[in-house]
Structures are given as C-alpha cells and as structure tokens.
Amino acid sequence: MERILRGIMRYRNTTREQMVKEFQKVRDNPEPKAVFFTCMDSRMIPTRYTDTHVGDMFVVRNAGNLIPHAQHFQDEYFSCEPAALELGCVVNDIRHIIVCGHSDCKAMNLLYQLRDPEFSSKLNRRLSPLRSWLCTHANTSLDKFQEWRNAGMKDPLIFSSETPLRRFVAYIDTEQKFAIEDKLSQINTLQQMSNIASYGFLKARLESHDLHIHALWFDIYTGDIYYFSRGAKRFVAVDESSVDQLSSEVRRFYS
C-alpha cells in the first residue's frame, strides 16, 4: 500500500494537471466509443496498449474476461457485466463492444485444469469462488475447446455472433505459436462474443447493425495485439503490414 501512496504523490507532481484538463474537457459531453471487457490480470493495461485516454471507453475487468450468458439469469440480470453493457450501450449509446483476452492468463490456466472432474467437483467449487466462477461461466468455452482438441485442433470452430443467424468461422493458432492454454484463451475470448449477444436488451441494436462486437487478444510476452478478423477467420497481429487492411474491414462491416 505504501507503494500506491508514493505513486499517488508522483501523479500529483507530474500528470495530475494534464489529467484534470482532460477530465474538464469531457465533463459535460463525454463520448466514449467502446465498452472494453478484459481480464483483471495486473499485466493488462488496456489504456496503454490501445493508446486511449480519459473519456474514450468504459473498461470492465474480471477473472478471465468473462461475460456470463443471459441464461444464467432467470428473473433479473444481477451481475456487473450485463449492468456494464446496459450502462454503456443503452444509457450511453456506445456502438462498439470489445472483448480482450491474453496469453498466460491465470484464469484460463486454471480453466484448463478444470477438465479434471475431481478438480472441478462441487466440493472444490464450494471451497473456491474462482473455480465456481469458471465452472459456471466458462464451461461453454472449455467444452468447445475440448471438442476441437479431440477432433485434432485443425478444423475451424463456428461461433454465433450478433444474432443467432449471424455466425462466423474461426481457425485457432494455425501456426502453432501458442501454448495449449493460450489456444483455450483465444476460444474463450471468441465465446464471449456469443454470450454478449444473448442479452435481450441489446437485441434490437444488434439486429439493426447499430451495435458491434469485436475480439482482441494480447500476447503478454511479445507485446503483440491480435484482432479477430472475420474476413481472415483468425486472430491477425495488428502491425504495419496488416493495420490498413484491418481498418478497411472494420469500416466495411462495422461503420
């Protein structure tokens, strides 16, 4: 905690004045452009690797960048994630939702271990809120991963997106660059796009193409950011050779 307090003092003496100016600039007319879901991992600093600033986006963080499917809520949505979707996309009329997973995700590493029935037993879930959270809200991701792995890990996966009739194909790590847990992390990131679309209060905007869902994936150890391209049907590294083509895809499909 002392380190935090010392950091606050450095902030007061360096960036505070500039940040206050930015706060004042957006105070009366904030125009956030995205709701950004990512993991609570301390290595994930989304405003830094997206170069976004005060007022640019709402950021929602939890273990494993999960958005619970609407089927888990019978009478009312009593979770932070759907509340954030309503605040961002209904109250503030934001048009873009981004889900960002990452490599070496401790939640995804644990989810991979939860393939073991004993490890994921009801008794163990009662002892561990994290295991319970993952078993409840990431089980669909794990099932999809296991089905894909049992089939040889070469076939594409199919995900539903903005509407049940709109589906997209995804090839996972065709170059075999990432660990098995990272492949699970990428599948989990894409599954959250389907989960987001399950909420009825977003249905009209999704069906009218007024609201769009995207996926990013961050490689912790190289600093590379990957964007899921529905055209390329895979995660594509955002770099000098790809950014123009990816930007063109975004304008064509999501503008």
Side-chain angles (χ1 to χ4, degrees):
M1 190 63 213
E2 183 179 358
R3 181 175 179 179
I4 299 297
L5 294 174
R6 297 297 180 188
I8 292 171
M9 292 308 300
R10 287 193 296 273
Y11 149 77
R12 287 178 59 83
N13 294 319
T14 55
T15 59
R16 174 190 179 188
E17 183 177 350
Q18 178 59 36
M19 287 192 69
V20 168
K21 290 179 181 177
E22 293 183 29
F23 291 141
Q24 292 172 341
K25 184 177 180 180
V26 302
R27 178 181 60 187
D28 298 324
N29 190 31
E31 295 183 350
K33 299 298 189 291
V35 180
F36 195 100
F37 288 93
T38 193
C39 187
M40 62 185 289
D41 192 298
S42 61
R43 298 166 296 179
M44 294 292 283
I45 312 176
T47 54
R48 185 173 298 179
Y49 59 72
T50 60
D51 192 28
T52 48
H53 303 283
V54 169
D56 284 345
M57 61 186 186
F58 290 0
V59 179
V60 187
R61 305 179 66 152
N62 63 34
N65 46 269
L66 303 179
I67 298 92
H69 194 282
Q71 68 185 9
H72 293 289
F73 310 104
Q74 294 183 352
D75 298 321
E76 55 184 327
Y77 302 133
F78 51 85
S79 174
C80 166
E81 294 77 21
L85 287 169
E86 182 185 8
L87 179 62
C89 303
V90 178
V91 177
N92 283 274
D93 201 31
I94 291 173
R95 297 187 63 223
H96 295 274
I97 304 167
I98 302 166
V99 184
C100 183
H102 67 99
S103 64
D104 191 30
C105 177
K106 305 311 179 186
M108 291 299 102
N109 294 349
L110 178 59
L111 179 63
Y112 184 75
Q113 296 177 45
L114 290 170
R115 295 173 300 123
D116 179 355
E118 174 65 23
F119 196 66
S120 60
S121 68
K122 183 172 286 188
L123 174 61
N124 281 329
R125 295 202 306 271
R126 286 173 174 168
L127 297 173
S128 168
L130 179 56
R131 290 188 204 183
S132 181
W133 164 255
L134 293 171
C135 285
T136 302
H137 299 302
N139 193 54
T140 304
S141 300
L142 185 58
D143 288 346
K144 211 171 193 79
F145 165 81
Q146 297 214 86
E147 181 181 342
W148 173 74
R149 189 183 189 188
N150 292 338
M153 300 195 299
K154 293 183 179 179
D155 294 336
L157 291 166
I158 299 176
F159 296 85
S160 62
S161 56
E162 284 78 4
T163 72
L165 297 179
R166 289 184 66 188
R167 297 174 178 266
F168 63 89
V169 172
Y171 289 88
I172 303 298
D173 191 22
T174 55
E175 298 176 354
Q176 299 298 315
K177 294 172 59 176
F178 301 112
I180 192 70
E181 296 88 350
D182 292 342
K183 300 179 200 295
L184 172 58
S185 173
Q186 292 190 350
I187 291 172
N188 177 70
T189 301
L190 296 176
Q191 179 59 41
Q192 305 318 304
M193 299 171 72
S194 301
N195 291 357
I196 289 168
S198 69
Y199 288 96
F201 61 84
L202 300 178
K203 181 179 179 182
R205 292 193 67 195
L206 290 169
E207 289 181 344
S208 64
H209 306 282
D210 188 44
L211 181 63
H212 310 288
I213 309 172
H214 312 266
L216 294 174
W217 196 78
F218 182 51
D219 186 352
I220 290 286
Y221 296 114
T222 67
D224 289 325
I225 313 292
Y226 293 77
Y227 176 77
F228 183 79
S229 164
R230 301 195 197 189
K233 302 176 183 178
R234 62 187 177 90
F235 280 100
V236 176
V238 182
D239 58 25
E240 291 76 9
S241 66
S242 68
V243 66
D244 290 340
Q245 184 173 348
L246 292 174
S247 295
S248 177
E249 177 180 325
V250 168
R251 287 193 300 270
R252 186 166 64 252
F253 291 110
Y254 305 113
S255 60

